[in-house]
Amino acid sequence: MPEKISAADYNASLGKAPAKKRVMGAVPTEFNGIKFHSKKEASRYGDLLTLQGAGRIARLERQVKFPLTGRDGPILTPTGRQMHYIADFHYVDWDLDGVWIIEDAKGFQTDISKLKCAIMAAQGQPVTLS
């Protein structure tokens, strides 16, 4: 009788990395040929495309990197590299007189995301959560 093995052991025997666990069950989704981390992010992107088409927002960008700095200079990772906040969306909102908006589509905010959002706010770049 064949010996039973777990899926993780089977994948390891094939040289496959274990599947990465998603935050609070987020399901990766594809929209317009673009892969998103969650259904919520994909849906929000569709909404923002509609707003951009109507002329209410402009210069819509995805996955924009913002360096994180503190009082004494750049905030570094444990390996010594510059830490960044990666926003889901960045755009100009004409309804708010041309203000740049940094937006993140979150269903659940982790401790790290709360910390990074607080640092961004302290830098004068508040993050809008949708």
Side-chain angles (χ1 to χ4, degrees):
M1 183 169 200
E3 182 182 330
K4 292 184 179 182
I5 62 171
S6 69
D9 291 339
Y10 176 73
N11 286 334
S13 72
L14 295 176
K16 292 183 180 178
K20 190 174 181 182
K21 190 173 179 182
R22 295 282 179 179
V23 176
M24 297 302 283
V27 177
T29 305
E30 189 171 319
F31 175 75
N32 281 356
I34 302 170
K35 293 181 182 178
F36 293 91
H37 294 114
S38 68
K39 289 180 183 179
K40 184 171 187 164
E41 184 180 346
S43 174
R44 182 61 181 153
Y45 182 67
D47 295 344
L48 291 172
L49 285 177
T50 302
L51 290 173
Q52 184 168 259
R56 294 183 57 197
I57 68 169
R59 300 186 60 187
L60 177 61
E61 302 173 308
R62 293 183 53 252
Q63 301 298 310
V64 181
K65 262 186 172 182
F66 294 92
L68 296 177
T69 52
R71 183 192 68 201
D72 299 327
I75 298 174
L76 304 177
T77 65
T79 59
R81 296 182 359 195
Q82 168 82 51
M83 190 176 285
H84 291 88
Y85 175 79
I86 302 175
D88 289 335
F89 309 109
H90 187 226
Y91 56 90
V92 175
D93 191 336
W94 294 121
D95 291 343
L96 299 175
D97 297 327
V99 173
W100 278 93
I101 302 294
I102 301 168
E103 185 175 325
D104 220 356
K106 289 237 183 275
F108 177 78
Q109 209 175 3
T110 63
D111 290 340
I112 293 293
S113 69
K114 288 177 188 176
L115 178 64
K116 286 185 175 185
C117 285
I119 294 169
M120 288 290 289
Q123 291 178 186
Q125 299 176 310
V127 176
T128 302
L129 300 175
S130 59

